[in-house]
Amino acid sequence: MTPLIERLRALSPEQLQGMRRGIEKESLRTTPDGQLALTPHPRPLGSALTNPHITTDFSESQLELVTGAHTSAAQAVQELTRVHQFVYRALGREQMWVSSMPGDLPPDAGIPIGQYGSSNVGLAKRVYRIGLSNRYGPRMQTISGIHYNWSMPGLSNDDYFALIRNFRRQSFLLLWLFGASPATTAGFVDGLPHGLQPLGDQTMYLPHATSLRMGRLGYQSDAQGALAVSYNSLKGYAASLQEALTRPYPPYEALGVQDEAGGYKQLSTSLLQIENEFYSTIRPKRVIRSGERPLHALRERGVEYVEVRCMDLNPFLPVGIDEATARFLDTFLLHCLLSDSPPDTPQEIAALARNQQSTAARGREPGLHLERDGQPVLLTDWAREIVDACLPIAEQLDAVLGGHGHRQAWEAASAAVNDPARLPSAAVVAAMQQDPAGGHVGFALARSANARDALLALDLPENARAAFERQAADSIQEQAAIEAADTLPFEAFRQDYMSPSHLVV
């Protein structure tokens, strides 16, 4: 019996039944013809600062829809669907862009940065986003994706970090299986070194790419590239993050915090303004208290869940993800937890970054090799090895939770390993090649319209609609109360919040 099977059998039914997962899904609001919607965050959706289920990400035009934590994949996707149904009823003629890569964007200065009101916490959220715009450019920030939050009872900090190390080693599989952003507009890469090829007049792509979002055009940072964050322990991880959050970074020092007129350019001059700026395929997380820094929460109370951050929006699915994808993620995360997880090294961390870039840009290229333990390995061989090892986990999940959904999700992944033409990225390229004149924008616009129609056609129960409306109204009142309670000038608030003393226990 392998160690993985032994550990799988050692899990109690209560642990598997106690798994929780939640979904955060970003989408740009667009006009019916695919232009970025420049209207404010719709008031019927409530306050972007305080509504727990409907907020914005970087841009005022970038919705972020958030579910609670659920005991089944079906419940999480169902709630995400309900949130979409409510949002679409508030958008009027606008729609949600179903592709991770944006469509036609206005000039950089015309991309509206999120607004969160006049409170100190709201201003801090906006200044943080101004800092992202100044550091990386606003175009990169309009790329959208899905975050999958996952936990299981009975896990220690060391268990979660062992899972994270293996996830980072094997996350190429998720980019390969679920990446769906092989193309973008010509305008998106205008003025950038990109290495993409034209597909028609207005689209740029890579023929074997899986996820431009997770490649060099996506959430990458040369500045953060120097960060070799280790995931061998909570203590080491926290020390690495604290260094990045507190040590001034010369280019950002040169930018400064404020301009001559007192307008803010960023929250701080350190490599990371706040913890969320750290780009990673997965993060250890903990629910924070009001005003608390995430790093302090982790250090004081430990890891509560992991946040998977490498999932593209699937443009063929109305809400960007489905139950089968979620069930495979549950299975894969258990595989990462139950497999041997040796400590990482700086050399391995560098190799994993190269594997991610290769998979994002060339994942479906026949004969593509990745690096494993210092040796080349065929991506497809490694993928098949991981997927095969997931089968007993999928079967155990079905045995405990009921049904055949995990086995069916595993079968779909196994079939894709044997036939990469089934992959979403391959389907996206094939669709665009059939209509090169329409290209990326034409494809995503048609899929967005289909998603809108499908979701509006679904029945939204009156009690669900009323609950969303009540939550939106309550969030507006909550924002007003926060603003009324503020007494500290923003600069004093900023300096206090950014103090290194708030990062330690």
Side-chain angles (χ1 to χ4, degrees), residues 371-386:
E371 303 174 50
R372 181 171 63 176
D373 300 327
Q375 300 297 319
V377 57
L378 270 174
L379 182 153
T380 48
D381 286 350
W382 195 357
R384 187 172 292 107
E385 180 183 315
I386 298 168

Side-chain angles (χ1 to χ4, degrees), residues 172 174-183 206-214 312 356-365 379 423-426:
F172 78 90
L174 300 184
L175 271 63
W176 194 72
L177 285 175
F178 302 112
S181 57
L206 288 172
H208 299 112
T210 60
S211 177
L212 298 185
R213 170 178 172 266
M214 295 302 299
D312 281 356
Q356 178 176 328
Q357 298 294 347
S358 295
T359 306
R362 302 164 51 209
R364 288 179 289 103
E365 180 181 297
L379 182 153
L423 298 174
S425 57

Side-chain angles (χ1 to χ4, degrees), residues 248-437:
Y249 182 63
Y252 301 156
E253 275 193 301
L255 178 64
V257 171
Q258 291 177 273
D259 58 27
E260 293 87 350
Y264 283 88
K265 297 180 178 180
Q266 54 187 345
L267 278 176
S268 74
T269 61
S270 49
L271 180 61
L272 303 178
Q273 299 172 88
I274 59 175
E275 293 87 332
N276 284 355
E277 191 173 344
F278 177 48
Y279 299 137
S280 178
T281 55
I282 187 170
R283 288 178 184 159
K285 296 291 288 281
R286 171 122 222 146
V287 174
I288 62 173
R289 298 164 180 160
S290 177
E292 185 180 30
R293 292 292 297 268
L295 186 52
H296 177 273
L298 273 180
R299 280 173 157 162
E300 183 179 73
R301 303 187 298 283
V303 182
E304 186 175 4
Y305 64 96
V306 293
E307 179 188 46
V308 173
R309 300 172 49 80
C310 60
M311 299 296 291
D312 281 356
L313 306 181
N314 186 328
F316 299 102
L317 302 173
V319 301
I321 188 172
D322 61 6
E323 293 176 24
T325 304
R327 291 191 179 104
F328 186 83
L329 285 172
D330 291 344
T331 305
F332 177 78
L333 286 163
L334 281 172
H335 177 267
C336 293
L337 173 70
L338 299 172
S339 301
D340 290 340
S341 185
D344 59 32
T345 65
Q347 293 76 23
E348 184 188 34
I349 292 169
L352 295 180
R354 292 191 292 270
N355 284 350
Q356 178 176 328
Q357 298 294 347
S358 295
T359 306
R362 302 164 51 209
R364 288 179 289 103
E365 180 181 297
L368 178 66
H369 284 77
L370 302 181
E371 303 174 50
R372 181 171 63 176
D373 300 327
Q375 300 297 319
V377 57
L378 270 174
L379 182 153
T380 48
D381 286 350
W382 195 357
R384 187 172 292 107
E385 180 183 315
I386 298 168
V387 171
D388 287 349
C390 284
L391 176 57
I393 301 172
E395 292 179 333
Q396 181 69 1
L397 284 171
D398 282 341
V400 171
L401 302 179
H404 306 284
H406 295 87
R407 171 68 189 240
Q408 291 167 350
W410 177 88
E411 288 174 349
S414 181
V417 170
N418 294 321
D419 181 11
R422 295 172 177 257
L423 298 174
S425 57
V428 170
V429 170
M432 292 183 189
Q433 287 174 334
Q434 289 179 1
D435 180 21

Side-chain angles (χ1 to χ4, degrees), residues 26-29 36 41 55-64 112 141-145 219:
E26 304 154 357
S27 287
L28 295 172
R29 286 186 293 113
L36 188 68
H41 184 64
T55 181
T56 57
D57 194 69
F58 166 77
S59 174
E60 186 77 351
S61 311
Q62 191 173 33
L63 291 166
E64 183 173 346
Q141 304 299 320
T142 64
I143 300 172
S144 298
Y219 281 88

Side-chain angles (χ1 to χ4, degrees), residues 16 49 66 74 104 113 118 140 147 207 243 249 290 340 360 372 375 382 390 467 480 484:
L16 294 178
L49 179 68
V66 183
D104 292 322
I113 296 173
S118 61
M140 185 180 92
H147 299 170
E243 171 81 2
Y249 182 63
S290 177
D340 290 340
R372 181 171 63 176
Q375 300 297 319
W382 195 357
C390 284

